[in-house]
C-alpha cells in the first residue's frame, strides 16, 4: 500500500497575492476614494485615468487628492489626446508641482489620429520630459491576450524597446496589463517576457467584483478573451448572466502557479463594480484564513 501523499506546508507569505496591489480611479471617483481610504493601505499606488470626458483640471485635482490621502498617484498620459508640446509639458509640470508625482503611466490612446505631435508612447518617452521633471517610474501597457493593431511578436518587440528606453533615461519601467478572466494567459505571457530578458515588474490587471453583465460589457469593449470555457473558470456561466462575480478563482490560480520564474508580479485592480466595493472586497479577501 502506497503511503499517503503529504502536501507541502502552505506558503502564507505567497498566499496573500493582494499585498502591494494598485488600483485605478477616474477623476470622478475622488469622493469614493475618500470614503474607501480607511481600508486602503498607506502608500498604495492609485492610477488616475486620462478619459476624454474629463479635463486636465479635474485630473490634476484627483491626483492631488490621491497624494493628500497618503497614497501614491500614478496619473495617465494619453499620447494621441495631447494637443501640443505645451499641453504635455504644462500638464506634467502641474502634476509634479501640485501632487509630487514621481510615477506616470503612458498609453497611446484610442483616437486613430493624434490631436498633436505624439502618435504613440515612444514619442512621449523620447521628449526627455519625464526624467527632467523628476519622474522615476514610467508604466507601460501589457497585452497578454494580444493587441488589436499589432502581432504578438511586434507587441513584444515594442515593449522591449520601450523598457530599454525608459531604463536608459534613468527611470524604472513597470508593465500594467489589461484585465483578464484567466490566470493561464498571464502566466504564459510573463514567462515569454522573462525569456526575452524583459525583467520589469508586472502588475496583472484584475477586474474587481461587479455584475456579470458589466464584466462582459467591459470585456467586449477591451477585446479581452471571454469564451465560455474561460468564463466558467472565472465562475461565470453565459447561460445565467445575472448576479455578480469576483476574481476569487483567478487569484487562487495565480497563488498556486506563480513562481520565481515569473519575477516581480503584483496586482492592479480595475474597479468596474465601483471603487468602494472593490476595496471592501480586497480587505475581505485579505482577512480570510
Amino acid at each position: 500500500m502506497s503511503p499517503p501523499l503529504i502536501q507541502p506546508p502552505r506558503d502564507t507569505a505567497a498566499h496573500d497575492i493582494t499585498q502591494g496591489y494598485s488600483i485605478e480611479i477616474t477623476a470622478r471617483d475622488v469622493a469614493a476614494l475618500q470614503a474607501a481610504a480607511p481600508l486602503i493601505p498607506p502608500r498604495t499606488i492609485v492610477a488616475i485615468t486620462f478619459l476624454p470626458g474629463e479635463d486636465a483640471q479635474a485630473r490634476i485635482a484627483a491626483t492631488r487628492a490621491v497624494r493628500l490621502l497618503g497614497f501614491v498617484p500614478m496619473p495617465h498620459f494619453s499620447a494621441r489626446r495631447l494637443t501640443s508640446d505645451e499641453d504635455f509639458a504644462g500638464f506634467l509640470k502641474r502634476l509634479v508641482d501640485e501632487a509630487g508625482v514621481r510615477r506616470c503611466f503612458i498609453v497611446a490612446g484610442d483616437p486613430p489620429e493624434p490631436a498633436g505631435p505624439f502618435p504613440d508612447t515612444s514619442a512621449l518617452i523620447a521628449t526627455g520630459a519625464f526624467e527632467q521633471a523628476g519622474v522615476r517610474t514610467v508604466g507601460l501597457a501589457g497585452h497578454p491576450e494580444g493587441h488589436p493593431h499589432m502581432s504578438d511578436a511586434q507587441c513584444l518587440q515594442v515593449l522591449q524597446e520601450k523598457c530599454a528606453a525608459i531604463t536608459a533615461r534613468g527611470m524604472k519601467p513597470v508593465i500594467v496589463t489589461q484585465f483578464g478572466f484567466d490566470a493561464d494567459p498571464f502566466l504564459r505571457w510573463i514567462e515569454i517576457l522573462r525569456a526575452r530578458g524583459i525583467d520589469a515588474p508586472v502588475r496583472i490587471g484584475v477586474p474587481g467584483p461587479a455584475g456579470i453583465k458589466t464584466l462582459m460589457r467591459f470585456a467586449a469593449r477591451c477585446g479581452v478573451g471571454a469564451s465560455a470555457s474561460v468564463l466558467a473558470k472565472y465562475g461565470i456561466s453565459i447561460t445565467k448572466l445575472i448576479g455578480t462575480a469576483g476574481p476569487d478563482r483567478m487569484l487562487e490560480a495565480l497563488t498556486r502557479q506563480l513562481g520565481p520564474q515569473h519575477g516581480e508580479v503584483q496586482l492592479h485592480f480595475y474597479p468596474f463594480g465601483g471603487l468602494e466595493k472593490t476595496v471592501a472586497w480586497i480587505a475581505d479577501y485579505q482577512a480570510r484564513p
Side-chain angles (χ1 to χ4, degrees):
M1 182 176 178
S2 301
L5 292 174
I6 299 175
Q7 295 293 332
R10 190 174 194 180
D11 183 352
T12 54
H15 164 62
D16 193 358
I17 193 174
T18 63
Q19 288 293 331
Y21 72 87
S22 55
I23 195 163
E24 195 150 304
I25 69 167
T26 73
R28 295 187 293 270
D29 291 327
V30 170
L33 181 66
Q34 290 169 335
L39 291 177
I40 304 175
R43 304 288 301 165
T44 292
I45 296 168
V46 178
I48 303 96
T49 57
F50 196 112
L51 297 179
E54 298 169 346
D55 62 21
Q57 183 57 44
R59 299 183 195 109
I60 292 166
T63 305
R64 190 165 54 241
V66 169
R67 176 66 73 190
L68 290 173
L69 286 168
F71 308 129
V72 177
M74 184 172 71
H76 287 204
F77 288 75
S78 180
R80 292 179 193 149
R81 295 189 187 280
L82 294 166
T83 58
S84 65
D85 291 295
E86 293 74 21
D87 182 20
F88 172 39
F91 183 50
L92 176 59
K93 185 176 189 305
R94 288 196 61 189
L95 290 169
V96 171
D97 291 349
E98 298 180 30
V101 164
R102 293 293 180 266
R103 175 184 292 262
C104 298
F105 184 81
I106 54 177
V107 294
D110 295 328
E113 297 296 329
F118 307 113
D120 52 35
T121 54
S122 295
L124 292 180
I125 297 169
T127 64
F130 288 119
E131 67 266 30
Q132 290 167 17
V135 171
R136 298 175 188 142
T137 302
V138 177
L140 302 168
H143 301 85
E145 297 188 75
H147 190 282
H149 306 302
M150 289 190 287
S151 68
D152 289 345
Q154 289 172 325
C155 205
L156 288 166
Q157 182 63 33
V158 169
L159 185 59
Q160 189 164 23
E161 290 170 357
K162 290 177 186 176
C163 286
I166 291 167
T167 301
R169 292 177 176 275
M171 299 178 291
K172 179 181 178 180
V174 61
I175 301 166
V176 183
T177 78
Q178 285 184 309
F179 76 91
F181 294 114
D182 184 4
D184 292 341
F186 287 115
L187 296 169
R188 287 195 299 268
W189 183 77
I190 294 170
E191 289 172 9
I192 292 170
L193 293 188
R194 303 318 187 203
R196 289 181 66 103
I198 303 174
D199 59 359
V202 173
R203 288 186 173 269
I204 294 176
V206 178
I212 291 174
K213 289 184 179 179
T214 298
L215 292 172
M216 293 287 288
R217 185 172 70 251
F218 275 101
R221 184 184 304 172
C222 299
V224 172
S227 67
S229 60
V230 168
L231 292 174
K233 290 174 67 175
Y234 195 78
I236 295 175
S237 169
I238 62 173
T239 62
K240 191 178 181 181
L241 296 180
I242 58 174
T244 62
D248 305 62
R249 294 189 185 183
M250 181 173 160
L251 299 198
E252 289 164 6
L254 288 171
T255 298
R256 289 193 307 269
Q257 299 177 59
L258 274 171
Q261 72 274 22
H262 297 108
E264 185 178 341
V265 178
Q266 291 174 293
L267 302 182
H268 180 75
F269 281 90
Y270 295 91
F272 300 136
L275 181 66
E276 292 177 79
K277 185 176 180 179
T278 298
V279 169
W281 184 93
I282 296 169
D284 175 73
Y285 185 88
Q286 292 176 335
R288 297 177 194 177

